[in-house]
Amino acid sequence: MLTAGITYFEKAIATILKVQETQAEALDKASEMIKDSLEKGGVLHVFGSGHSHAISEDVFWRAGGLGPVNAILDVNLTMHGGGAPTRGTNLERLEGYAKIILENYDLRKGEVIILYPIQE
Protein backbone atom coordinates (compact mmCIF):
# COMPACT_ATOMS: atom_id res chain seq x y z
CA MET A 1 0.00 0.00 0.00
CA LEU A 2 2.79 2.42 0.86
CA THR A 3 4.40 1.87 -2.55
CA ALA A 4 1.19 2.90 -4.30
CA GLY A 5 1.07 6.07 -2.20
CA ILE A 6 4.63 6.99 -3.05
CA THR A 7 3.99 6.38 -6.73
CA TYR A 8 0.93 8.62 -6.59
CA PHE A 9 2.83 11.44 -4.89
CA GLU A 10 5.76 11.09 -7.27
CA LYS A 11 3.43 11.38 -10.25
CA ALA A 12 1.56 14.31 -8.69
CA ILE A 13 4.82 16.17 -8.03
CA ALA A 14 6.08 15.39 -11.55
CA THR A 15 2.86 16.81 -12.99
CA ILE A 16 3.14 19.99 -10.92
CA LEU A 17 6.78 20.42 -11.99
CA LYS A 18 5.82 19.93 -15.65
CA VAL A 19 3.12 22.60 -15.31
CA GLN A 20 5.65 24.91 -13.65
CA GLU A 21 8.19 24.35 -16.44
CA THR A 22 5.78 24.66 -19.36
CA GLN A 23 3.05 27.02 -18.14
CA ALA A 24 4.71 29.47 -15.73
CA GLU A 25 4.72 32.32 -18.25
CA ALA A 26 1.06 31.79 -19.19
CA LEU A 27 0.03 31.55 -15.51
CA ASP A 28 1.93 34.76 -14.70
CA LYS A 29 0.21 36.54 -17.60
CA ALA A 30 -3.23 35.26 -16.56
CA SER A 31 -2.72 36.26 -12.92
CA GLU A 32 -1.63 39.73 -14.04
CA MET A 33 -4.79 40.07 -16.17
CA ILE A 34 -6.97 39.01 -13.21
CA LYS A 35 -5.18 41.42 -10.86
CA ASP A 36 -5.54 44.32 -13.31
CA SER A 37 -9.25 43.62 -13.80
CA LEU A 38 -9.95 43.37 -10.07
CA GLU A 39 -8.00 46.57 -9.34
CA LYS A 40 -10.29 48.36 -11.83
CA GLY A 41 -13.40 47.08 -10.06
CA GLY A 42 -13.95 44.07 -12.30
CA VAL A 43 -15.20 40.63 -11.39
CA LEU A 44 -13.50 37.29 -12.03
CA HIS A 45 -15.93 35.01 -13.87
CA VAL A 46 -15.52 31.21 -13.76
CA PHE A 47 -17.27 28.58 -15.87
CA GLY A 48 -17.15 24.84 -16.27
CA SER A 49 -19.61 22.31 -17.61
CA GLY A 50 -20.17 18.74 -16.53
CA HIS A 51 -18.10 17.84 -13.49
CA SER A 52 -16.00 20.98 -14.04
CA HIS A 53 -18.88 23.13 -12.81
CA ALA A 54 -17.88 22.04 -9.30
CA ILE A 55 -14.63 24.01 -9.64
CA SER A 56 -16.67 27.13 -10.35
CA GLU A 57 -18.83 26.48 -7.31
CA ASP A 58 -15.76 25.91 -5.17
CA VAL A 59 -14.30 29.40 -5.78
CA PHE A 60 -17.64 31.21 -5.61
CA TRP A 61 -19.18 32.69 -2.46
CA ARG A 62 -16.72 31.13 -0.04
CA ALA A 63 -16.17 32.39 3.49
CA GLY A 64 -12.77 34.03 3.50
CA GLY A 65 -12.45 33.62 -0.26
CA LEU A 66 -11.98 36.13 -3.02
CA GLY A 67 -15.11 38.29 -3.03
CA PRO A 68 -15.49 39.51 -6.61
CA VAL A 69 -16.01 36.09 -8.18
CA ASN A 70 -19.00 35.20 -10.32
CA ALA A 71 -19.71 31.55 -11.06
CA ILE A 72 -21.44 31.16 -14.41
CA LEU A 73 -23.65 28.17 -13.67
CA ASP A 74 -26.15 26.38 -15.87
CA VAL A 75 -27.94 23.44 -14.28
CA ASN A 76 -28.55 21.99 -17.74
CA LEU A 77 -24.82 21.36 -18.11
CA THR A 78 -24.65 19.32 -14.90
CA MET A 79 -26.11 16.05 -13.70
CA HIS A 80 -28.35 18.00 -11.27
CA GLY A 81 -30.99 19.05 -13.77
CA GLY A 82 -32.35 15.59 -14.41
CA GLY A 83 -32.56 13.92 -17.78
CA ALA A 84 -30.04 11.75 -19.53
CA PRO A 85 -26.35 12.15 -18.65
CA THR A 86 -25.71 13.00 -22.29
CA ARG A 87 -27.92 16.11 -22.14
CA GLY A 88 -25.11 18.33 -20.86
CA THR A 89 -22.64 16.88 -23.35
CA ASN A 90 -25.01 17.62 -26.20
CA LEU A 91 -25.82 21.13 -24.97
CA GLU A 92 -22.19 22.15 -24.45
CA ARG A 93 -21.58 21.36 -28.12
CA LEU A 94 -24.71 23.14 -29.36
CA GLU A 95 -23.82 26.19 -31.43
CA GLY A 96 -25.18 29.34 -29.82
CA TYR A 97 -25.79 27.80 -26.39
CA ALA A 98 -22.96 29.77 -24.76
CA LYS A 99 -24.53 33.01 -25.97
CA ILE A 100 -27.82 32.04 -24.30
CA ILE A 101 -26.03 31.35 -21.01
CA LEU A 102 -23.91 34.50 -21.08
CA GLU A 103 -26.90 36.76 -21.80
CA ASN A 104 -27.97 36.12 -18.19
CA TYR A 105 -24.77 37.55 -16.69
CA ASP A 106 -23.31 41.04 -16.33
CA LEU A 107 -20.04 40.60 -18.22
CA ARG A 108 -17.98 43.73 -18.80
CA LYS A 109 -15.10 44.60 -21.08
CA GLY A 110 -11.75 43.99 -19.39
CA GLU A 111 -13.02 41.33 -17.00
CA VAL A 112 -11.54 37.83 -17.05
CA ILE A 113 -13.42 34.57 -17.56
CA ILE A 114 -11.74 31.31 -16.59
CA LEU A 115 -13.12 28.40 -18.59
CA TYR A 116 -12.42 24.90 -17.37
CA PRO A 117 -11.77 22.78 -20.44
CA ILE A 118 -13.85 19.90 -21.65
CA GLN A 119 -11.88 16.67 -21.70
CA GLU A 120 -12.48 14.52 -24.73
Side-chain angles (χ1 to χ4, degrees):
M1 191 71 147
L2 185 57
T3 304
I6 292 171
T7 301
Y8 170 80
F9 286 115
E10 289 171 347
K11 288 183 179 187
I13 291 167
T15 300
I16 290 168
L17 290 173
K18 183 176 181 182
V19 169
Q20 181 183 28
E21 291 170 14
T22 63
Q23 302 301 312
E25 187 177 327
L27 290 169
D28 286 344
K29 184 177 179 181
S31 66
E32 205 50 44
M33 292 171 67
I34 294 167
K35 178 188 77 73
D36 290 346
S37 174
L38 295 176
E39 285 179 344
K40 294 175 184 170
V43 172
L44 174 62
H45 304 279
V46 291
F47 172 80
S49 63
H51 288 88
S52 295
H53 88 280
I55 301 169
S56 297
E57 289 181 1
D58 199 43
V59 298
F60 174 66
W61 205 256
R62 298 295 297 238
L66 180 62
V69 174
N70 172 48
I72 299 171
L73 303 171
D74 182 2
V75 71
N76 295 308
L77 297 177
T78 71
M79 302 295 275
H80 303 296
T86 57
R87 181 197 60 223
T89 301
N90 293 331
L91 286 174
E92 69 189 14
R93 289 168 171 76
L94 182 63
E95 187 173 333
Y97 194 68
K99 184 178 186 221
I100 294 168
I101 295 170
L102 296 177
E103 286 174 347
N104 294 294
Y105 291 90
D106 182 19
L107 307 175
R108 299 178 184 187
K109 184 176 181 177
E111 292 181 332
V112 176
I113 300 176
I114 297 176
L115 304 171
Y116 304 106
I118 300 167
Q119 298 296 318
E120 294 196 31

Short mmCIF file of all heavy atoms in Angstrom, two decimals, residues 55-106:
data_model
loop_
_atom_site.label_atom_id
_atom_site.label_comp_id
_atom_site.label_asym_id
_atom_site.label_seq_id
_atom_site.Cartn_x
_atom_site.Cartn_y
_atom_site.Cartn_z
N ILE A 55 -15.75 23.10 -9.88
CA ILE A 55 -14.63 24.01 -9.64
C ILE A 55 -15.15 25.43 -9.53
O ILE A 55 -14.73 26.19 -8.65
CB ILE A 55 -13.58 23.89 -10.77
CG1 ILE A 55 -13.05 22.46 -10.86
CG2 ILE A 55 -12.43 24.88 -10.53
CD1 ILE A 55 -12.21 22.19 -12.09
N SER A 56 -16.08 25.79 -10.41
CA SER A 56 -16.67 27.13 -10.35
C SER A 56 -17.39 27.35 -9.03
O SER A 56 -17.29 28.42 -8.43
CB SER A 56 -17.65 27.34 -11.51
OG SER A 56 -16.97 27.26 -12.74
N GLU A 57 -18.12 26.36 -8.58
CA GLU A 57 -18.83 26.48 -7.31
C GLU A 57 -17.85 26.60 -6.15
O GLU A 57 -18.12 27.29 -5.16
CB GLU A 57 -19.75 25.28 -7.09
CG GLU A 57 -20.95 25.27 -8.00
CD GLU A 57 -21.86 24.09 -7.74
OE1 GLU A 57 -21.58 23.28 -6.84
OE2 GLU A 57 -22.88 23.98 -8.44
N ASP A 58 -16.71 25.94 -6.27
CA ASP A 58 -15.76 25.91 -5.17
C ASP A 58 -15.09 27.26 -4.94
O ASP A 58 -14.67 27.55 -3.82
CB ASP A 58 -14.70 24.84 -5.42
CG ASP A 58 -13.99 24.44 -4.16
OD1 ASP A 58 -14.66 24.26 -3.12
OD2 ASP A 58 -12.75 24.33 -4.19
N VAL A 59 -14.95 28.09 -5.96
CA VAL A 59 -14.30 29.40 -5.78
C VAL A 59 -15.30 30.53 -5.60
O VAL A 59 -14.93 31.67 -5.41
CB VAL A 59 -13.35 29.74 -6.96
CG1 VAL A 59 -12.24 28.72 -7.05
CG2 VAL A 59 -14.10 29.84 -8.27
N PHE A 60 -16.58 30.21 -5.65
CA PHE A 60 -17.64 31.21 -5.61
C PHE A 60 -18.29 31.25 -4.23
O PHE A 60 -18.65 30.22 -3.68
CB PHE A 60 -18.69 30.86 -6.67
CG PHE A 60 -19.92 31.70 -6.66
CD1 PHE A 60 -19.86 33.05 -6.97
CD2 PHE A 60 -21.15 31.15 -6.36
CE1 PHE A 60 -21.00 33.83 -6.98
CE2 PHE A 60 -22.30 31.91 -6.38
CZ PHE A 60 -22.22 33.26 -6.68
N TRP A 61 -18.41 32.45 -3.69
CA TRP A 61 -19.18 32.69 -2.46
C TRP A 61 -18.66 31.87 -1.30
O TRP A 61 -19.41 31.19 -0.59
CB TRP A 61 -20.66 32.37 -2.73
CG TRP A 61 -21.60 33.10 -1.81
CD1 TRP A 61 -22.27 32.55 -0.74
CD2 TRP A 61 -22.00 34.46 -1.85
NE1 TRP A 61 -23.04 33.49 -0.13
CE2 TRP A 61 -22.89 34.70 -0.81
CE3 TRP A 61 -21.67 35.53 -2.68
CZ2 TRP A 61 -23.47 35.92 -0.55
CZ3 TRP A 61 -22.25 36.75 -2.43
CH2 TRP A 61 -23.14 36.93 -1.37
N ARG A 62 -17.35 31.90 -1.11
CA ARG A 62 -16.72 31.13 -0.04
C ARG A 62 -16.33 32.05 1.10
O ARG A 62 -15.77 33.11 0.88
CB ARG A 62 -15.45 30.44 -0.55
CG ARG A 62 -15.66 29.43 -1.65
CD ARG A 62 -16.47 28.25 -1.19
NE ARG A 62 -15.81 27.51 -0.15
CZ ARG A 62 -15.51 26.24 -0.22
NH1 ARG A 62 -15.82 25.54 -1.27
NH2 ARG A 62 -14.91 25.65 0.80
N ALA A 63 -16.59 31.62 2.32
CA ALA A 63 -16.17 32.39 3.49
C ALA A 63 -14.66 32.54 3.46
O ALA A 63 -13.94 31.55 3.33
CB ALA A 63 -16.61 31.68 4.77
N GLY A 64 -14.20 33.77 3.53
CA GLY A 64 -12.77 34.03 3.50
C GLY A 64 -12.15 33.97 2.12
O GLY A 64 -10.96 34.15 1.97
N GLY A 65 -12.97 33.72 1.10
CA GLY A 65 -12.45 33.62 -0.26
C GLY A 65 -12.44 34.96 -0.97
O GLY A 65 -12.81 36.00 -0.40
N LEU A 66 -12.01 34.95 -2.20
CA LEU A 66 -11.98 36.13 -3.02
C LEU A 66 -13.41 36.57 -3.29
O LEU A 66 -14.22 35.81 -3.82
CB LEU A 66 -11.24 35.83 -4.34
CG LEU A 66 -11.11 36.96 -5.34
CD1 LEU A 66 -10.30 38.12 -4.75
CD2 LEU A 66 -10.45 36.46 -6.61
N GLY A 67 -13.75 37.80 -2.93
CA GLY A 67 -15.11 38.29 -3.03
C GLY A 67 -15.65 38.47 -4.44
O GLY A 67 -16.71 37.98 -4.77
N PRO A 68 -14.92 39.20 -5.29
CA PRO A 68 -15.49 39.51 -6.61
C PRO A 68 -15.36 38.36 -7.61
O PRO A 68 -14.69 38.46 -8.64
CB PRO A 68 -14.69 40.73 -7.05
CG PRO A 68 -13.37 40.59 -6.37
CD PRO A 68 -13.66 39.89 -5.07
N VAL A 69 -16.00 37.25 -7.30
CA VAL A 69 -16.01 36.09 -8.18
C VAL A 69 -17.46 35.78 -8.56
O VAL A 69 -18.34 35.77 -7.70
CB VAL A 69 -15.38 34.84 -7.51
CG1 VAL A 69 -15.53 33.61 -8.39
CG2 VAL A 69 -13.91 35.09 -7.20
N ASN A 70 -17.68 35.54 -9.82
CA ASN A 70 -19.00 35.20 -10.32
C ASN A 70 -18.94 33.83 -10.99
O ASN A 70 -18.24 33.66 -11.99
CB ASN A 70 -19.48 36.24 -11.34
CG ASN A 70 -20.75 35.81 -12.02
OD1 ASN A 70 -21.69 35.39 -11.37
ND2 ASN A 70 -20.78 35.89 -13.33
N ALA A 71 -19.64 32.87 -10.44
CA ALA A 71 -19.71 31.55 -11.06
C ALA A 71 -20.83 31.57 -12.11
O ALA A 71 -21.97 31.89 -11.80
CB ALA A 71 -19.99 30.49 -10.01
N ILE A 72 -20.46 31.27 -13.34
CA ILE A 72 -21.44 31.16 -14.41
C ILE A 72 -21.92 29.71 -14.39
O ILE A 72 -21.20 28.79 -14.78
CB ILE A 72 -20.81 31.53 -15.77
CG1 ILE A 72 -20.33 32.98 -15.72
CG2 ILE A 72 -21.79 31.31 -16.90
CD1 ILE A 72 -19.51 33.41 -16.92
N LEU A 73 -23.12 29.52 -13.89
CA LEU A 73 -23.65 28.17 -13.67
C LEU A 73 -24.89 27.94 -14.52
O LEU A 73 -25.75 28.82 -14.62
CB LEU A 73 -23.99 27.97 -12.20
CG LEU A 73 -22.85 28.19 -11.21
CD1 LEU A 73 -23.36 28.19 -9.78
CD2 LEU A 73 -21.77 27.14 -11.40
N ASP A 74 -24.97 26.77 -15.10
CA ASP A 74 -26.15 26.38 -15.87
C ASP A 74 -26.48 24.94 -15.48
O ASP A 74 -25.75 24.02 -15.82
CB ASP A 74 -25.88 26.49 -17.36
CG ASP A 74 -27.09 26.13 -18.22
OD1 ASP A 74 -28.16 25.82 -17.65
OD2 ASP A 74 -26.97 26.14 -19.45
N VAL A 75 -27.56 24.77 -14.77
CA VAL A 75 -27.94 23.44 -14.28
C VAL A 75 -28.09 22.43 -15.42
O VAL A 75 -27.87 21.24 -15.23
CB VAL A 75 -29.21 23.51 -13.41
CG1 VAL A 75 -30.43 23.79 -14.24
CG2 VAL A 75 -29.38 22.25 -12.58
N ASN A 76 -28.39 22.90 -16.61
CA ASN A 76 -28.55 21.99 -17.74
C ASN A 76 -27.24 21.34 -18.18
O ASN A 76 -27.24 20.36 -18.91
CB ASN A 76 -29.18 22.72 -18.92
CG ASN A 76 -30.58 23.16 -18.62
OD1 ASN A 76 -31.42 22.37 -18.19
ND2 ASN A 76 -30.85 24.44 -18.79
N LEU A 77 -26.13 21.92 -17.76
CA LEU A 77 -24.82 21.36 -18.11
C LEU A 77 -24.25 20.51 -17.00
O LEU A 77 -23.08 20.15 -17.01
CB LEU A 77 -23.85 22.50 -18.46
CG LEU A 77 -24.22 23.33 -19.68
CD1 LEU A 77 -23.22 24.46 -19.87
CD2 LEU A 77 -24.32 22.47 -20.92
N THR A 78 -25.08 20.17 -16.01
CA THR A 78 -24.65 19.32 -14.90
C THR A 78 -25.56 18.10 -14.84
O THR A 78 -26.53 17.99 -15.58
CB THR A 78 -24.75 20.07 -13.56
OG1 THR A 78 -26.14 20.23 -13.22
CG2 THR A 78 -24.07 21.42 -13.61
N MET A 79 -25.26 17.23 -13.92
CA MET A 79 -26.11 16.05 -13.70
C MET A 79 -27.27 16.38 -12.77
O MET A 79 -28.12 15.55 -12.52
CB MET A 79 -25.27 14.93 -13.08
CG MET A 79 -24.08 14.52 -13.92
SD MET A 79 -24.57 13.81 -15.47
CE MET A 79 -24.82 12.14 -14.99
N HIS A 80 -27.33 17.62 -12.25
CA HIS A 80 -28.35 18.00 -11.27
C HIS A 80 -29.70 18.32 -11.88
O HIS A 80 -30.69 18.34 -11.18
CB HIS A 80 -27.89 19.21 -10.45
CG HIS A 80 -26.59 18.99 -9.76
ND1 HIS A 80 -26.41 18.05 -8.78
CD2 HIS A 80 -25.39 19.58 -9.93
CE1 HIS A 80 -25.16 18.07 -8.37
NE2 HIS A 80 -24.52 18.99 -9.04
N GLY A 81 -29.75 18.61 -13.15
CA GLY A 81 -30.99 19.05 -13.77
C GLY A 81 -31.91 17.94 -14.22
O GLY A 81 -32.96 18.20 -14.78
N GLY A 82 -31.53 16.71 -13.97
CA GLY A 82 -32.35 15.59 -14.41
C GLY A 82 -32.11 15.29 -15.88
O GLY A 82 -31.36 15.99 -16.56
N GLY A 83 -32.75 14.28 -16.38
CA GLY A 83 -32.56 13.92 -17.78
C GLY A 83 -31.37 13.00 -17.96
O GLY A 83 -30.69 12.63 -17.02
N ALA A 84 -31.13 12.67 -19.20
CA ALA A 84 -30.04 11.75 -19.53
C ALA A 84 -28.68 12.39 -19.27
O ALA A 84 -28.53 13.60 -19.45
CB ALA A 84 -30.14 11.33 -20.99
N PRO A 85 -27.70 11.60 -18.87
CA PRO A 85 -26.35 12.15 -18.65
C PRO A 85 -25.76 12.80 -19.89
O PRO A 85 -24.89 13.65 -19.78
CB PRO A 85 -25.52 10.92 -18.24
CG PRO A 85 -26.50 9.93 -17.76
CD PRO A 85 -27.77 10.19 -18.51
N THR A 86 -26.25 12.43 -21.05
CA THR A 86 -25.71 13.00 -22.29
C THR A 86 -26.29 14.38 -22.60
O THR A 86 -25.78 15.06 -23.49
CB THR A 86 -25.99 12.06 -23.47
OG1 THR A 86 -27.41 11.83 -23.54
CG2 THR A 86 -25.27 10.74 -23.33
N ARG A 87 -27.31 14.80 -21.87
CA ARG A 87 -27.92 16.11 -22.14
C ARG A 87 -26.89 17.23 -22.09
O ARG A 87 -26.77 18.03 -23.01
CB ARG A 87 -29.04 16.40 -21.15
CG ARG A 87 -29.72 17.76 -21.44
CD ARG A 87 -30.53 18.29 -20.28
NE ARG A 87 -29.64 18.47 -19.14
CZ ARG A 87 -29.94 18.12 -17.90
NH1 ARG A 87 -31.10 17.62 -17.61
NH2 ARG A 87 -29.08 18.29 -16.93
N GLY A 88 -26.12 17.28 -21.01
CA GLY A 88 -25.11 18.33 -20.86
C GLY A 88 -24.06 18.27 -21.95
O GLY A 88 -23.64 19.29 -22.49
N THR A 89 -23.64 17.06 -22.29
CA THR A 89 -22.64 16.88 -23.35
C THR A 89 -23.17 17.41 -24.67
O THR A 89 -22.46 18.11 -25.40
CB THR A 89 -22.27 15.39 -23.49
OG1 THR A 89 -21.74 14.94 -22.24
CG2 THR A 89 -21.25 15.18 -24.59
N ASN A 90 -24.42 17.13 -24.96
CA ASN A 90 -25.01 17.62 -26.20
C ASN A 90 -25.18 19.13 -26.18
O ASN A 90 -24.92 19.80 -27.18
CB ASN A 90 -26.36 16.94 -26.46
CG ASN A 90 -26.20 15.46 -26.74
OD1 ASN A 90 -25.19 15.01 -27.25
ND2 ASN A 90 -27.21 14.69 -26.38
N LEU A 91 -25.61 19.68 -25.06
CA LEU A 91 -25.82 21.13 -24.97
C LEU A 91 -24.52 21.91 -25.05
O LEU A 91 -24.47 22.96 -25.69
CB LEU A 91 -26.57 21.48 -23.68
CG LEU A 91 -28.04 21.15 -23.65
CD1 LEU A 91 -28.63 21.40 -22.26
CD2 LEU A 91 -28.81 21.93 -24.71
N GLU A 92 -23.45 21.41 -24.43
CA GLU A 92 -22.19 22.15 -24.45
C GLU A 92 -21.58 22.20 -25.85
O GLU A 92 -20.71 23.01 -26.11
CB GLU A 92 -21.20 21.60 -23.43
CG GLU A 92 -20.67 20.24 -23.75
CD GLU A 92 -19.85 19.63 -22.62
OE1 GLU A 92 -19.90 20.14 -21.48
OE2 GLU A 92 -19.17 18.64 -22.88
N ARG A 93 -22.06 21.36 -26.74
CA ARG A 93 -21.58 21.36 -28.12
C ARG A 93 -22.57 22.04 -29.08
O ARG A 93 -22.32 22.12 -30.27
CB ARG A 93 -21.33 19.92 -28.56
CG ARG A 93 -20.12 19.31 -27.87
CD ARG A 93 -20.03 17.81 -28.09
NE ARG A 93 -18.78 17.24 -27.62
CZ ARG A 93 -18.46 17.03 -26.35
NH1 ARG A 93 -19.32 17.33 -25.41
NH2 ARG A 93 -17.31 16.52 -26.01
N LEU A 94 -23.67 22.52 -28.54
CA LEU A 94 -24.71 23.14 -29.36
C LEU A 94 -24.31 24.57 -29.72
O LEU A 94 -24.10 25.40 -28.83
CB LEU A 94 -26.03 23.13 -28.59
CG LEU A 94 -27.24 23.71 -29.30
CD1 LEU A 94 -27.60 22.89 -30.54
CD2 LEU A 94 -28.44 23.74 -28.33
N GLU A 95 -24.20 24.85 -30.98
CA GLU A 95 -23.82 26.19 -31.43
C GLU A 95 -24.83 27.21 -30.93
O GLU A 95 -26.04 27.02 -31.06
CB GLU A 95 -23.76 26.23 -32.96
CG GLU A 95 -23.22 27.54 -33.49
CD GLU A 95 -23.00 27.54 -34.99
OE1 GLU A 95 -22.76 26.45 -35.56
OE2 GLU A 95 -23.04 28.62 -35.57
N GLY A 96 -24.34 28.27 -30.33
CA GLY A 96 -25.18 29.34 -29.82
C GLY A 96 -25.60 29.18 -28.37
O GLY A 96 -26.15 30.12 -27.79
N TYR A 97 -25.35 28.01 -27.77
CA TYR A 97 -25.79 27.80 -26.39
C TYR A 97 -25.03 28.69 -25.41
O TYR A 97 -25.62 29.22 -24.46
CB TYR A 97 -25.67 26.33 -26.00
CG TYR A 97 -26.41 26.00 -24.72
CD1 TYR A 97 -27.81 26.03 -24.69
CD2 TYR A 97 -25.76 25.68 -23.55
CE1 TYR A 97 -28.51 25.76 -23.53
CE2 TYR A 97 -26.45 25.39 -22.39
CZ TYR A 97 -27.82 25.43 -22.38
OH TYR A 97 -28.50 25.17 -21.23
N ALA A 98 -23.75 28.89 -25.64
CA ALA A 98 -22.96 29.77 -24.76
C ALA A 98 -23.53 31.18 -24.75
O ALA A 98 -23.61 31.81 -23.69
CB ALA A 98 -21.50 29.79 -25.20
N LYS A 99 -23.95 31.67 -25.90
CA LYS A 99 -24.53 33.01 -25.97
C LYS A 99 -25.79 33.10 -25.10
O LYS A 99 -26.00 34.09 -24.39
CB LYS A 99 -24.87 33.37 -27.41
CG LYS A 99 -25.39 34.77 -27.57
CD LYS A 99 -25.66 35.10 -29.03
CE LYS A 99 -26.04 36.56 -29.12
NZ LYS A 99 -27.10 36.84 -29.99
N ILE A 100 -26.61 32.07 -25.12
CA ILE A 100 -27.82 32.04 -24.30
C ILE A 100 -27.46 32.10 -22.81
O ILE A 100 -28.07 32.86 -22.05
CB ILE A 100 -28.66 30.77 -24.61
CG1 ILE A 100 -29.19 30.83 -26.04
CG2 ILE A 100 -29.79 30.59 -23.60
CD1 ILE A 100 -29.77 29.52 -26.54
N ILE A 101 -26.46 31.34 -22.41
CA ILE A 101 -26.03 31.35 -21.01
C ILE A 101 -25.50 32.72 -20.62
O ILE A 101 -25.91 33.30 -19.61
CB ILE A 101 -24.95 30.28 -20.76
CG1 ILE A 101 -25.51 28.87 -20.96
CG2 ILE A 101 -24.36 30.42 -19.35
CD1 ILE A 101 -24.46 27.79 -20.97
N LEU A 102 -24.60 33.26 -21.43
CA LEU A 102 -23.91 34.50 -21.08
C LEU A 102 -24.83 35.72 -21.08
O LEU A 102 -24.55 36.71 -20.40
CB LEU A 102 -22.72 34.73 -22.02
CG LEU A 102 -21.63 33.67 -21.90
CD1 LEU A 102 -20.52 33.94 -22.91
CD2 LEU A 102 -21.08 33.59 -20.49
N GLU A 103 -25.94 35.66 -21.80
CA GLU A 103 -26.90 36.76 -21.80
C GLU A 103 -27.51 37.00 -20.41
O GLU A 103 -28.05 38.06 -20.14
CB GLU A 103 -28.02 36.51 -22.81
CG GLU A 103 -27.58 36.70 -24.24
CD GLU A 103 -28.66 36.31 -25.25
OE1 GLU A 103 -29.67 35.67 -24.88
OE2 GLU A 103 -28.48 36.65 -26.43
N ASN A 104 -27.40 36.02 -19.54
CA ASN A 104 -27.97 36.12 -18.19
C ASN A 104 -26.98 36.66 -17.16
O ASN A 104 -27.30 36.68 -15.97
CB ASN A 104 -28.47 34.74 -17.74
CG ASN A 104 -29.63 34.27 -18.58
OD1 ASN A 104 -30.69 34.86 -18.56
ND2 ASN A 104 -29.41 33.22 -19.36
N TYR A 105 -25.80 37.08 -17.61
CA TYR A 105 -24.77 37.55 -16.69
C TYR A 105 -24.28 38.93 -17.10
O TYR A 105 -24.28 39.28 -18.27
CB TYR A 105 -23.59 36.56 -16.65
CG TYR A 105 -23.98 35.26 -16.00
CD1 TYR A 105 -24.51 34.21 -16.75
CD2 TYR A 105 -23.86 35.10 -14.63
CE1 TYR A 105 -24.88 33.02 -16.15
CE2 TYR A 105 -24.23 33.91 -14.01
CZ TYR A 105 -24.75 32.88 -14.78
OH TYR A 105 -25.12 31.71 -14.18
N ASP A 106 -23.83 39.69 -16.12
CA ASP A 106 -23.31 41.04 -16.33
C ASP A 106 -21.81 40.94 -16.59
O ASP A 106 -21.00 41.07 -15.67
CB ASP A 106 -23.61 41.91 -15.10
CG ASP A 106 -23.14 43.33 -15.26
OD1 ASP A 106 -22.91 43.77 -16.41
OD2 ASP A 106 -22.99 44.02 -14.24
#
